Amino acid sequence: MNDLHALASEYAVGSLPASESSEFESHLATCPDCREEVADMRDIAVHLSEAVATDPPPSLRASVLAQIAFTPQRQPAPATEQTERAMPASASSNVVPFERRSRATWATGLVAAAALVAAVALGGWAIHSRNDARNATATAQELTQLLAARDVKTTTGSFSSSGSGTVIVSPSEHRALLVASDLPALPAGRVYEAWTLGTSTAPAGTFTSSGSQTVVSLPNHAATAAAVAVTIERGNGSQQPTTTPIFSVTLPKA
Amino acid sequence: MTTMVACPVLWAAPSRPVSLTVRGRVGTMGSSGSPSELVDLLKRISSGDQPAFADFYDSTSRTVFGIVLSVVRDRAQAEEVTQEVYVEAWTSAPRFDPELGSAKGWLNTIAHRKAVDRVRSSQRSQERDQRHFEAGPAQPEVDTSDIVVAYDQSERVRAALQQLPEAQRTAVHMAYFEGRSYREVAEFLGLPLGTVKTRIRDAMKRLRNQLGEAAS
């Protein structure tokens, strides 16, 4: 086993071929000294990497954050997988289980909304909720959760002014969001107001445009509404629409 | 023995003074994001905390992108691989165990491994070799003015590398910065396998002696 003990450096700099790598990993499972040695050598490798540190393009950050927003995480390893946890690069760590739902269902929501999430991430978070300004984190998580729902549906339409809007609903989660793109800013004293249409028309929150993306958290009943519309209203909004809708989409039946 | 094709001028003494332009955040692993901060971030990331992940990215991405670019030698591919690295970090964060090594070491291992995976298939490896060839001996593809590093740490590392015997430096360069297996290094340099292993091992031990106390 002396030969194996000596491989910690080569393993830590990643120069072992795959077959020897797995052999050494089996050895690591039973050799605390080697685990410590590898951890040490990996810290030295970090220093080597620091010598070539290079700024990634800013667009990469947005792209990474958009992708992780709809990527499920693995579960913590059971205690018996200690060694595997120490070895993140082992082959099995590339297997990402889809634990809550099938890959196909996940993919449906993902494909429908991936571009949208990317757009939101790239545009910065311009978040509005219907009554109060909740923090961006909560809404970002809300969006992520919603997109992961098994019955998520997205419907897109245009604003007659300019810009477009997408309504994302999940009846099972009782949640709905409106994501509006490139909405013009309104003059002072005017707000956008969302409405849900069904057996009756109900106010669904006021918002203003901030930047290229505006995310509006709609009330729960919007998830089962027949349609969502937006008007421009005075002051802090009204209880009934007083102008012609500049946006409306019919939602798919649940 | 063959000539030292891969003469590592990467860490040769700069021919002109290195200007200390610091653009934006000085975000190497060494200078921001202390080990305990990164562990805390990973803990939060494990429960799906996306803003924590953004901080984690900001603290580590220069080093990750740097080593990935060093291995794959192509900016577009380096961006793809870096994205894969962070997606892997996101999905695997719940399995990170601080008892078993540092957060930086964990992430850096993922980064190096994915970069190597990218170039080890034979066709890609040929393309990569071609890029190394075209780029000249062991120069990073980046303009040195882009290497905005945390000065002290990076200079210490470069100095330590420069103090290695040339044979060791070449072995580490080819194995780590170019991502070659020690067999490839041996073949390339026309040396016995055992010699290359010994050189890598000795080099890493020397580096540990010089840099170890800073390996926090």
Side-chain angles (χ1 to χ4, degrees), chain A residues 62-79:
Chain A
S63 176
V64 165
L65 296 183
Q67 188 174 353
I68 62 108
F70 52 80
T71 301
Q73 293 177 296
R74 303 179 74 188
Q75 298 301 304

Side-chain angles (χ1 to χ4, degrees), chain A residues 4-51:
Chain A
L4 278 175
H5 286 304
L7 289 177
S9 302
E10 291 96 311
Y11 180 76
V13 299
S15 69
L16 288 183
S19 58
E20 291 176 53
S21 234
S22 11
E23 192 189 355
F24 185 69
E25 279 165 13
S26 316
H27 167 67
L28 277 177
T30 62
C31 182
D33 287 350
C34 278
R35 286 205 291 273
E36 198 172 320
E37 176 85 354
V38 166
D40 247 28
M41 287 300 179
R42 283 183 170 169
D43 284 337
I44 300 302
V46 170
H47 288 310
L48 296 179
S49 296
E50 283 166 353

Side-chain angles (χ1 to χ4, degrees), chain A residues 6 10 13 15 20 40 42-43 45 47 49-51 54-55 61 63 67 71 73-75 85 89 144, chain B residues 30 45 50 58 62 66 83 88 90-91 94-95 102 108-109 112-113 153 158 176 182-183 201 208:
Chain A
E10 291 96 311
V13 299
S15 69
E20 291 176 53
D40 247 28
R42 283 183 170 169
D43 284 337
H47 288 310
S49 296
E50 283 166 353
T54 307
D55 281 323
R61 184 183 194 273
S63 176
Q67 188 174 353
T71 301
Q73 293 177 296
R74 303 179 74 188
Q75 298 301 304
R85 273 186 291 168
T144 306
Chain B
I45 291 164
Q50 293 175 28
D58 291 339
R62 296 190 64 251
Q83 176 137 0
E88 170 76 26
W90 167 259
T91 57
R95 298 201 164 193
S102 70
N108 189 58
T109 301
H112 192 263
R113 179 68 64 100
Q153 186 52 39
R158 285 163 192 249
Y176 190 71
Y182 72 86
R183 286 176 192 283
R201 195 175 307 151
R208 175 163 60 181

